[in-house]
Amino acid sequence: MSITRDAGDDLIVQIAKLQQSLRDHPFPALQVEEVTDDGETYTAIRCPRCDSLVDADDLYAVDTCDRQSPAESLDTDWALQHRRATFGAHDLGTFGETLYYLHDTHPVSLPDGWDEDWT
């Protein structure tokens, strides 16, 4: 079977390349440092872009999900009459690797030597 090429095929390849470029880009790394506040010293993480301390509530891992949802009705009388394809979103899909990390509204990297875990 021969498949005819379409210009959109190259767009899909470009998306994959762009996502890989985001994964590979060295955004400024968060910094682990000792902070003294009101006489108390503790270890914290600071964002080099906005100079704020980083809490778990404002750090996000940004990724994508590629999901291929099968057509549920395509060759039925109803689908043909109404010209409507129905797809079933039965699962969450397969999430990809982290593209980048986001502190509030700006991308960052994890501190040097840090890795991510997903639960």
Side-chain angles (χ1 to χ4, degrees):
M1 172 168 65
S2 174
I3 298 174
T4 305
R5 293 230 2 108
D6 182 86
D9 297 345
D10 294 333
L11 295 174
I12 294 170
V13 170
Q14 287 177 2
I15 288 172
K17 287 180 179 180
L18 180 59
Q19 288 179 346
Q20 189 60 51
S21 294
L22 275 171
R23 284 185 196 96
D24 294 342
H25 184 79
F27 289 105
L30 299 171
Q31 303 294 313
V32 177
E33 64 179 57
E34 296 296 314
V35 175
T36 301
D37 186 24
D38 289 335
E40 181 184 350
T41 300
Y42 56 94
T43 303
I45 298 175
R46 184 174 301 279
C47 176
R49 298 193 66 188
C50 67
D51 203 38
S52 299
L53 294 182
V54 179
D55 294 330
D57 292 342
D58 47 58
L59 181 65
Y60 300 89
V62 178
D63 66 335
T64 62
C65 174
D66 286 331
R67 180 173 61 191
Q68 296 179 0
S69 301
E72 290 185 341
S73 67
L74 188 60
D75 56 356
T76 65
D77 289 340
W78 185 91
L80 294 168
Q81 180 182 1
H82 295 296
R83 299 186 306 193
R84 182 169 302 269
T86 303
F87 297 90
H90 299 292
D91 61 32
L92 295 177
T94 303
F95 289 87
E97 299 174 42
T98 299
L99 292 174
Y100 58 93
Y101 300 94
L102 193 62
H103 173 238
D104 286 331
T105 60
H106 45 274
V108 295
S109 293
L110 292 178
D112 290 339
W114 283 47
D115 290 317
E116 66 178 28
D117 280 326
W118 287 81
T119 57

